[in-house]
Amino acid sequence: MNLAALADIPRQYTSLAEWLACLVYILPARRTAGWRFWLAAAGVLAGQTVFLVLTDDVPLALWIPCMLGAVGIMFAFILFSCPGGALAAGYSCVRAFLLAEFAASLEWQLYYNYVAVTGADLVPVRLVFLSVVYAGAFGLMFLLEKRSRPRQMRLSIAGRELAGALVIGASVFFMSNLSYIQIVTPFSGQYVGEIFNIRTLVDLGGLAILYAYHLQRVELQMRHELETIDAILRSQYVQYQQSRESIDLINRKYHDLKHQIAALRAEPDAARRAAWLDEMESDIIAYEAQNKTGNQVLDVLLTGKSLYCQKHGIRLTTVADGTALEGVSPMDLCTLVGNALDNAIESVRKIADREKRLIHVSVARQKSFVLLRFENCYEGELRFEDGLPVTTKADANYHGYGLKSIRRTAQKYGGTVTVNTRKNWFELKVLLPLEGHEERE
């Protein structure tokens, strides 16, 4: 048996490894993968295989450009299959390329050693090695990727994170393939077995380093999101306290004004003044009656937002049973109601037609649940990820945490958050169980 004929990995095996590696990072990021996706994926596999087979015997000077072409196909596959943009696709492409290099190298090295021992090069045995090693390598990495990807969080990749991944990937690829370029170096191997050992072990080390780098990126982003959400929680609670102080002051002023009106009525006045005083008193009664929901915290929140809406030409209507929210802590209630109303106010303020600046809030019991519903008009198109609309602000990395904090707070009480849109009408529903409202850690 001529072992020299097995010195190179078959190009079909390499294309399959690169395709499977892309799927490892595509599938956890996709919400659905229907027949159209799998049809396109099959086309990518066919194209990748044809490209690698046709470039099998190119001169050494064209080897690197051809490898970049194969990586380009992987990048395009990931870019058009996953959300996140070019930076995130490039980051996943580097990880997929190293994974493919390791899996292909490991599988072929094991088969090469098998042939060296037994002297038998059989196609069925090749397929067994290919199936077992690829299933183990890519299956394990798929599980690790799903485990390291927090639910409802999309990893944000900046230029420097991508640059760091590229440096690691390029360094590993260079060192693992150095023996194919120049054998007269302290880090090269002269025999096929040595070259396989170097390539597989270097690829394994590089894959481990890049995975550790990825875990650190996930941890840093999670920490940043939690700090941002906590800051939003504190901010909403501070707003609530400020609103309560302002409303208390207004209540005292109106209370004093009622006594002044009573004193004026005791004096002989003209009919016009009496009518004017009647109007003032009716305004005071209307003010005292508004936003009396049975929950002091909710009253303060709704009244404070109502005053803001009146100032900016926004019509806010409320039908709320605040007693259903007695089990929700003041800070969590500030998070739920404050963020929801802030998002609604920000949305309707962009509408030029003041007649469409409408917000409706309702809080009601539904069997063993309490339903908080926030509805408002909106203009433009909304794009959704993980069930929540994506922020329309230019700096997406530092916005869009309001709805995340609402969902996080609802989940703490065993509740859910859903968002629906229809005919430029936005609806946010928060469903909380009435029983067991004790705060969960």
Side-chain angles (χ1 to χ4, degrees):
M1 178 65 197
N2 184 14
L3 292 177
L6 302 178
D8 293 327
I9 303 173
R11 305 294 272 181
Q12 299 90 332
Y13 289 19
T14 302
S15 66
L16 179 61
E18 293 174 350
W19 184 75
L20 290 172
C22 289
L23 291 180
V24 166
Y25 299 102
I26 288 174
L27 294 179
R30 291 180 61 89
R31 277 176 287 178
T32 58
W35 67 269
R36 289 187 179 87
F37 167 76
W38 288 111
L39 183 62
V44 171
L45 175 59
Q48 184 86 323
T49 303
V50 170
F51 176 79
L52 290 179
V53 170
L54 292 178
T55 57
D56 189 12
D57 296 323
V58 297
L60 185 60
L62 297 178
W63 180 59
I64 294 297
C66 289
M67 288 298 301
L68 292 176
V71 173
I73 296 175
M74 298 175 66
F75 172 76
F77 185 26
I78 296 173
L79 177 63
F80 291 107
S81 300
C82 299
L87 292 178
Y91 178 80
S92 296
C93 181
V94 175
R95 300 183 64 205
F97 179 70
L98 275 191
L99 174 59
E101 286 283 298
F102 166 71
S105 178
L106 175 64
E107 187 275 333
W108 197 244
Q109 180 180 0
L110 293 176
Y111 181 72
Y112 175 86
N113 289 335
Y114 166 82
V115 174
V117 173
T118 63
D121 180 17
L122 303 175
V123 173
V125 179
R126 283 194 180 198
L127 295 178
V128 170
F129 271 86
L130 182 70
S131 301
V132 172
V133 175
Y134 277 19
F138 293 114
L140 176 61
M141 199 62 197
F142 178 78
L143 295 176
L144 291 176
E145 179 65 15
K146 286 195 67 174
R147 185 175 181 179
S148 68
R149 180 184 292 268
R151 292 182 60 190
Q152 303 163 345
M153 189 192 89
R154 177 169 59 88
L155 188 63
S156 177
I157 301 297
R160 59 184 179 183
E161 281 83 26
L162 176 58
L166 284 172
V167 169
I168 296 173
S171 301
V172 171
F173 178 74
F174 174 78
M175 291 302 300
S176 65
N177 290 275
L178 182 60
S179 299
Y180 293 96
I181 302 173
Q182 178 58 258
I183 63 173
V184 188
T185 72
F187 309 103
S188 303
Q190 298 183 2
Y191 303 102
V192 175
E194 293 177 350
I195 295 174
F196 281 159
N197 287 333
I198 293 173
R199 182 170 59 183
T200 302
L201 293 176
V202 171
D203 287 340
L204 175 61
L207 189 64
I209 292 172
L210 198 53
Y211 183 72
Y213 177 77
H214 173 71
L215 291 181
Q216 185 181 44
R217 284 291 311 128
V218 171
E219 182 181 354
L220 288 174
Q221 182 168 331
M222 289 181 61
R223 186 182 306 169
H224 169 72
E225 287 204 4
L226 289 175
E227 289 174 353
T228 304
I229 291 174
D230 288 341
I232 291 175
L233 300 180
R234 290 191 295 269
S235 174
Q236 289 292 345
Y237 190 66
V238 169
Q239 290 182 30
Y240 156 73
Q241 291 177 317
Q242 293 173 345
S243 297
R244 185 178 62 182
E245 294 172 359
S246 300
I247 293 170
D248 288 343
L249 177 61
I250 293 174
N251 286 333
R252 288 196 297 270
K253 293 294 184 182
Y254 270 74
H255 183 74
D256 295 340
L257 188 57
K258 284 197 298 184
H259 292 294
Q260 294 171 9
I261 292 173
L264 288 173
R265 283 190 179 278
E267 298 179 2
D269 290 313
R272 181 182 298 179
R273 178 172 295 181
W276 177 66
L277 292 174
D278 287 338
E279 182 180 355
M280 291 180 58
E281 190 171 26
S282 65
D283 289 341
I284 294 173
I285 294 173
Y287 168 77
E288 289 182 335
Q290 71 176 343
N291 297 325
K292 299 300 181 181
T293 67
N295 186 298
Q296 185 177 5
V297 176
L298 185 61
D299 292 346
V300 172
L301 288 168
L302 292 176
T303 303
K305 300 300 181 182
S306 297
L307 296 174
Y308 181 89
C309 289
Q310 292 174 14
K311 181 179 178 181
H312 292 87
I314 300 172
R315 184 181 177 186
L316 172 63
T317 58
T318 304
V319 178
D321 176 11
T323 60
L325 298 171
E326 292 178 353
V328 182
S329 73
M331 181 169 287
D332 289 336
L333 191 54
C334 291
T335 299
L336 294 172
V337 178
N339 280 307
L341 283 175
D342 283 348
N343 288 338
I345 290 170
E346 181 182 353
S347 178
V348 299
R349 282 193 63 184
K350 300 175 183 177
I351 302 176
D353 187 355
R354 285 180 172 260
E355 295 297 322
K356 295 182 179 179
R357 294 184 177 181
L358 304 175
I359 301 175
H360 180 67
V361 179
S362 64
V363 179
R365 300 172 187 263
Q366 290 192 355
K367 297 183 179 179
S368 59
F369 295 89
V370 55
L371 175 65
L372 295 85
R373 188 195 306 265
F374 304 88
E375 302 171 283
N376 63 271
C377 288
Y378 75 94
E379 291 183 346
E381 297 294 330
L382 294 179
R383 185 167 60 89
F384 285 77
E385 285 185 10
D386 296 324
L388 297 181
V390 179
T391 178
T392 57
K393 296 181 180 179
D395 187 1
N397 289 334
Y398 296 96
H399 296 289
Y401 290 106
L403 287 172
K404 289 184 179 180
S405 64
I406 292 174
R407 183 162 61 183
R408 180 182 176 222
T409 302
Q411 289 174 344
K412 186 169 64 173
Y413 288 88
T416 60
V417 174
T418 57
V419 174
N420 298 303
T421 58
R422 64 182 188 280
K423 297 181 180 179
N424 294 105
W425 190 250
F426 182 90
E427 180 185 62
L428 169 67
K429 293 192 292 187
V430 181
L431 192 66
L432 303 176
L434 278 172
E435 297 180 359
H437 264 172
E438 291 80 7
E439 185 174 337
R440 295 170 172 83
E441 296 298 334

